[in-house]
Amino acid sequence: GEGSVLVPEEMLQLEMASELFETFAKHRGILLKWLLADKTRCSAAMEGIVRVVSLTESASGEEYAQHRVWRSIDGKHCVGRMVPCPNDRTPEEEARAEGERDSVRGREVGEIEVNVQLGTFSLSTSRLEGVDE
């Protein structure tokens, strides 16, 4: 609020958040390259993020584990916007999507997106519906 002073714990939290963001920003290109080099590794990492961020992490990590394939959203400037897909693409489908990437606009995503570009996690648990007039 107006005239409020940060206590040491709040200052430490802000400093840690800032350092974490700076570290992530510095290494995100390397992280993205590492993720995109191996679909299995990428999918496992994304599922781990979902478990931790959504607070469904069990002691073993296996209780809530889902085995989905994760990939970047199709479209220009969407590499690193990771979403789960029900089916893996064939190499031909993957090559076609990459070839069309710069001429396609990013499509609407489903319920979950991990954006490696920005370091964000989006989880939509409810849908809005239009109101009849």
Side-chain angles (χ1 to χ4, degrees), residues 45-58:
M46 295 299 111
E47 290 299 335
I49 290 169
V50 170
R51 280 196 315 273
V52 170
V53 173
S54 63
L55 303 176
T56 56
E57 178 69 51
S58 67

Side-chain angles (χ1 to χ4, degrees), residues 48-119:
I49 290 169
V50 170
R51 280 196 315 273
V52 170
V53 173
S54 63
L55 303 176
T56 56
E57 178 69 51
S58 67
S60 68
E62 292 298 316
E63 183 178 342
Y64 298 101
Q66 294 193 33
H67 301 285
R68 298 177 282 201
V69 177
W70 287 71
R71 63 172 178 79
S72 292
I73 296 171
D74 293 332
K76 192 170 187 165
H77 306 300
C78 291
V79 173
R81 292 184 59 196
M82 310 303 290
V83 293
C85 298
N87 301 312
D88 197 3
R89 288 180 166 168
T90 66
E92 294 80 21
E93 291 170 329
E94 191 67 38
R96 186 176 60 245
E98 282 305 313
E100 296 172 352
R101 181 171 296 285
D102 286 340
S103 61
V104 176
R105 191 170 180 180
R107 295 186 179 97
E108 182 180 321
V109 299
E111 293 184 1
I112 301 172
E113 178 187 343
V114 176
N115 189 327
V116 180
Q117 294 177 3
L118 301 177

